[in-house]
Amino acid sequence: MKKYVVFLMLALVGQVNAQLSAEKIDEVVARTLKTFDVPGIAVAIVKDGKVIHAKGYGVRSIITRQPVDENTLFGIASNSKAFTTAALAILVDEGKIKWDDPVKKYIPEFKMYNDYVTSEFTIRDLLTHRSGLGLGAGDLMIWPDGNNFTTADIIHNLQYLKPVSAFRAKYDYDNLLYIVAGEVLHRASGKTWQEFVEGRILKPLEMNHTAASFTRLKDTSNVIVPHVPTDGKLKVIARYKSTHLDPAGGIYTCVNDLSKWVIAQLQSGKYGPNLQNRLFSEQQHTEMWTPQTIENNPPNPPYNTHFKCYGLGWQLTDVKGTLQVGHTGGLDGIVTQVTMLPELNLGIIVLTNQQSGAAFTAITNTIKDSYLGIQSEDYVAKYSSQRKEKEDHADKISDEVWQTVAKNQKDKIAVDFKKYAGTYKDNWFGEVVLTEKKGKLYFESKRSPQLAGKVFFYKDNTFAVKWNNRSFLADAFLKFSDDRTNLKMNPISPLTDFSYDFQDLDFTLVKPMPN
């Protein structure tokens, strides 16, 4: 009996410490590339302080067909947020800031919608998605690319964003406050966010291919391009290059370099020969991995998850009784994921050049399950089915709108577009112009020129704008008040990315078009 128990225990230990073979990883990535129409993926696995797998798959661009390898650079988007919190942790260690210092101590002009919130808002609050603002509030100041908003504009305009919940009461993911956190770092250190992150994190870790933003890369000969499925066909799109996003999502790196960052994280900030150097203290490492804001916790089989929280730049949860620390990131045409299981000393990195989150999740979970000793599902098939169901539902909603628009045109319903033409202004987004030309109506944002397109009558005082750039996947409703002095917007498709926060806009007519 005792021999049987010992044998069973050894078998379980072997199961928990199992790993997928390189061939199995290659196989699941190959299926992922094909199933989700992703041109290129890079994968790395870190175990017990060593990189045991680092490989590129597919191509950087469907046009050039150049291969992805372990040094191919991807934008990691919101995985940059953990670099921002680590940089601030360094300043905490140096006594230059405290996590619970008021933001106004460093940025006197900082102002939220509510005066009490303004005075109480701390550096910690900037990092934990509990501001009271809605999901992605104000992100139209950073998306799409090509707008003329600056960091100073964003800080100024925060005061116009109306909260949707009480301060510190609810989790709603945001990007803008990480940009503010980058400015706190700048003012407290005397260096820009880019200079500090490159000098105090990237250089010590010898992340030699990496830069704090695309525009700072010294060598762009091995970089992916972003891809978006557009009108039923995968297309290369323009790369996001605005630098004011950098503290929230600017870093470009490769799996070889990012593995060094993950190893340092799993070593509580230690790095170098015999781990004799430190990026930040054990105390600050613990602070960053301590739950700060409770997130919604839907059932998560097969992981038996009990909690899901946000720390400082990291999402924290449990999988099969084991702590999981990770984050995802998304730019137009690029999505990425970093996952760590500290108790197993395991890190998994998946970088892609298409915006299918199902793709990186399928790969990460397949690898993760092998270490957790779980009988892994066919995640590629599972997530493909789920994605199709969601897309079919969203397509049905969008198609019904555009079918109504087409019927209106076929029936030649008369609409006096001149009555709706004019200049409309929102406090934080600025002015948009609706112009009537030869019986047709056009929308154009003055501060974000890519938000331009033709406007179609839908019903009553509601219209639909079809953006000229079809890769946005973000067509929107325009809803006018009866007297046409007020204009509100909403996304048409339920799958519109949350950063197109049209619902937060509230336009007032400031200049009617002359008849």
Side-chain angles (χ1 to χ4, degrees):
M1 185 67 177
K2 289 183 179 178
K3 288 183 179 179
Y4 173 76
V5 172
V6 170
F7 176 80
L8 180 61
M9 290 176 65
L10 289 173
L12 288 172
V13 170
Q15 184 184 34
V16 169
N17 289 316
Q19 70 179 69
L20 290 181
S21 66
E23 291 75 19
K24 287 290 187 182
I25 297 171
D26 292 350
E27 180 184 326
V28 71
V29 176
R31 288 185 62 216
T32 299
L33 288 167
K34 182 178 181 180
T35 301
F36 299 104
D37 201 12
V38 180
I41 295 176
V43 178
I45 304 173
V46 168
K47 184 75 172 76
D48 299 326
K50 296 180 180 179
V51 179
I52 63 171
H53 185 93
K55 188 173 180 180
Y57 303 85
V59 297
R60 297 176 232 162
S61 165
I62 58 174
I63 297 174
T64 67
R65 310 301 300 179
Q66 294 171 306
V68 174
D69 60 33
E70 62 274 17
N71 290 314
T72 299
L73 298 165
F74 294 73
I76 61 170
S78 286
N79 277 297
S80 305
K81 287 180 168 68
F83 287 81
T84 296
T85 59
L88 291 167
I90 292 170
L91 293 186
V92 174
D93 279 333
E94 293 175 350
K96 294 180 179 178
I97 65 170
K98 296 177 182 177
W99 294 116
D100 296 310
D101 281 343
V103 175
K104 284 184 73 67
K105 179 178 179 180
Y106 305 93
I107 308 177
E109 68 272 28
F110 175 80
K111 184 177 175 61
M112 299 293 283
Y113 191 79
N114 179 283
D115 288 342
Y116 170 79
V117 174
T118 299
S119 63
E120 294 297 312
F121 216 95
T122 66
I123 295 173
R124 188 186 304 273
D125 293 321
L126 293 174
L127 310 170
T128 49
H129 309 296
R130 61 187 192 187
S131 66
L133 298 178
L135 174 64
D139 272 5
L140 283 171
M141 288 187 280
I142 51 178
W143 268 289
D145 198 13
N147 64 73
N148 65 6
F149 290 96
T150 64
T151 296
D153 290 332
I154 290 170
I155 292 171
H156 174 78
N157 289 341
L158 284 172
Q159 64 187 298
Y160 302 120
L161 295 172
K162 296 180 181 179
V164 299
S165 62
F167 181 39
R168 296 178 183 154
K170 182 176 177 289
Y171 175 89
D172 271 309
Y173 191 85
D174 71 71
N175 287 299
L176 300 191
L177 295 175
Y178 267 82
I179 294 172
V180 180
E183 184 61 18
V184 169
L185 179 79
H186 179 198
R187 299 194 189 189
S189 69
K191 294 185 177 181
T192 66
W193 178 88
Q194 294 85 350
E195 292 168 341
F196 193 97
V197 167
E198 289 178 356
R200 299 296 299 274
I201 298 178
L202 304 186
K203 186 175 181 181
L205 293 181
E206 298 182 356
M207 297 173 68
N208 298 325
H209 297 90
T210 304
S213 68
F214 177 79
T215 59
R216 296 173 69 89
L217 288 172
K218 296 183 177 68
D219 182 358
T220 57
S221 62
N222 188 6
V223 185
I224 60 93
V225 296
H227 301 78
V228 174
T230 307
D231 295 331
K233 185 178 180 181
L234 194 64
K235 294 184 179 180
V236 171
I237 65 166
R239 186 188 311 279
Y240 188 97
K241 293 182 180 180
S242 293
T243 58
H244 56 275
L245 175 67
D246 289 351
I251 290 175
Y252 263 73
T253 189
C254 58
V255 291
N256 264 354
D257 277 7
L258 201 53
S259 295
K260 299 173 183 177
W261 164 248
V262 169
I263 290 172
Q265 286 288 332
L266 290 168
Q267 296 294 340
S268 303
K270 293 183 285 187
Y271 69 96
N274 301 315
L275 301 178
Q276 62 190 20
N277 303 317
R278 270 197 172 278
L279 286 177
F280 40 75
S281 66
E282 178 82 31
Q283 178 182 356
Q284 301 316 321
H285 175 259
T286 299
E287 193 79 26
M288 288 183 281
W289 283 14
T290 296
Q292 307 286 330
T293 307
I294 297 173
E295 299 185 39
N296 291 331
N297 183 32
N300 188 26
Y303 299 117
N304 304 116
T305 294
H306 298 89
F307 76 92
K308 187 177 182 182
C309 297
Y310 202 87
L312 300 178
W314 293 105
Q315 289 176 327
L316 310 166
T317 189
D318 66 315
V319 288
K320 283 293 184 182
T322 298
L323 175 66
Q324 177 176 294
V325 181
H327 215 288
T328 59
L331 292 169
D332 292 335
I334 307 171
V335 291
T336 64
Q337 186 172 47
V338 174
T339 306
M340 294 178 285
L341 278 62
E343 293 157 59
L344 301 184
N345 207 357
L346 172 70
I348 305 166
I349 302 165
V350 184
L351 311 179
T352 83
N353 62 354
Q354 204 258 64
Q355 55 192 41
S356 172
F360 64 56
T361 306
I363 295 169
T364 296
N365 285 358
T366 302
I367 296 170
K368 182 171 66 179
D369 288 359
S370 70
Y371 286 93
L372 290 171
I374 296 174
Q375 182 63 44
S376 191
E377 301 181 57
D378 184 344
Y379 289 112
V380 175
K382 177 181 179 179
Y383 296 145
S384 176
S385 176
Q386 291 178 353
R387 181 191 67 160
K388 185 178 187 307
E389 184 178 344
K390 290 178 180 179
E391 289 180 349
D392 286 349
H393 173 67
D395 288 346
K396 181 181 179 182
I397 292 172
S398 297
D399 288 347
E400 287 176 352
V401 171
W402 294 113
Q403 286 167 9
T404 298
V405 166
K407 185 177 185 303
N408 292 339
Q409 292 179 319
K410 182 180 179 181
D411 294 345
K412 298 182 179 179
I413 294 178
V415 180
D416 188 356
F417 287 119
K418 289 183 180 179
K419 291 182 178 180
Y420 298 90
T423 299
Y424 296 78
K425 184 178 181 180
D426 174 82
N427 283 338
W428 60 268
F429 188 66
E431 294 183 347
V432 300
V433 179
L434 292 172
T435 306
E436 187 273 335
K437 297 178 182 177
K438 297 181 179 179
K440 296 179 180 179
L441 195 62
Y442 297 88
F443 179 107
E444 184 177 3
S445 165
K446 286 191 175 182
R447 301 205 64 175
S448 188
Q450 282 210 70
L451 284 180
K454 189 176 176 182
V455 177
F456 300 86
F457 174 67
Y458 176 56
K459 61 181 178 180
D460 301 324
N461 283 325
T462 301
F463 295 73
V465 58
K466 180 173 285 190
W467 306 118
N468 296 335
N469 188 331
R470 303 308 301 145
S471 71
F472 289 166
L473 310 180
D475 293 338
F477 287 121
L478 306 180
K479 299 183 179 182
F480 293 87
S481 60
D482 289 340
D483 62 3
R484 298 181 295 281
T485 61
N486 181 260
L487 167 63
K488 294 183 181 295
M489 297 179 67
N490 285 98
I492 293 174
S493 170
L495 289 184
T496 300
D497 188 273
F498 68 79
S499 285
Y500 290 97
D501 62 316
F502 302 120
Q503 69 278 358
D504 294 325
L505 297 169
D506 188 3
F507 292 102
T508 300
L509 179 66
V510 293
K511 185 180 179 182
M513 284 292 177
N515 292 326

